[in-house]
Amino acid sequence: DSLNFGGDLPRYGAQVTEVLRRARRAVPDASCLILGPLDRLERGPEGGLRSPSVVQRVAAAQRQAALAAGCAFWDSQAAMGGPGSMRDWLARGLAIKDLVHLNARGSERFAERLEAALLARLAAVSDVAPPGPAAPAFRRHWPGASPPSRCW
């Protein structure tokens, strides 16, 4: 349950905050959206697969930095289905066997979820309906599911 990209969590959060602060200073009127980490799996002590809790802690640090900078935050793990959801993506042939990354098809499905949520949010805060809803594409690839509505 460690960060594989260097440093400890408080240092990582400070680095993200600093990057966003610099970006905001450079382009103060730009919109920004931070995507949290995808769900992932790792082998537990007993050999079973589990989603490491560090994913949620990294997402919390990113969310805090995003909100401090006036950016939107997308909880990628929640959009995938929550902790352990990488198992489903792998079973559907949407992730590679490293248990961390999506393949091309999985990336496309993930992008459709993000698009559906962005369009739904735009419709919720705007008097103008967004062009063409993404929900049908979402449902085509995820039968019985609805586009995530609470990933912000």
Side-chain angles (χ1 to χ4, degrees), residues 17-18 36 74 77 82 84 103 112 147 152:
T17 299
E18 177 60 18
W74 171 257
Q77 185 184 48
N103 62 23
E112 288 169 353
W152 300 104

Side-chain angles (χ1 to χ4, degrees), residues 25-72:
R25 190 173 47 212
V27 259
D29 296 329
S31 298
C32 63
L33 170 64
I34 306 306
L35 300 179
L38 297 171
D39 188 45
R40 62 178 54 206
L41 297 172
E42 65 182 20
R43 297 239 176 251
E46 317 79 44
L49 294 176
R50 65 181 182 86
S51 181
S53 62
V54 71
V55 174
Q56 292 173 316
R57 293 194 314 269
V58 168
Q62 290 175 337
R63 181 188 308 267
Q64 183 178 2
L67 295 177
C71 297

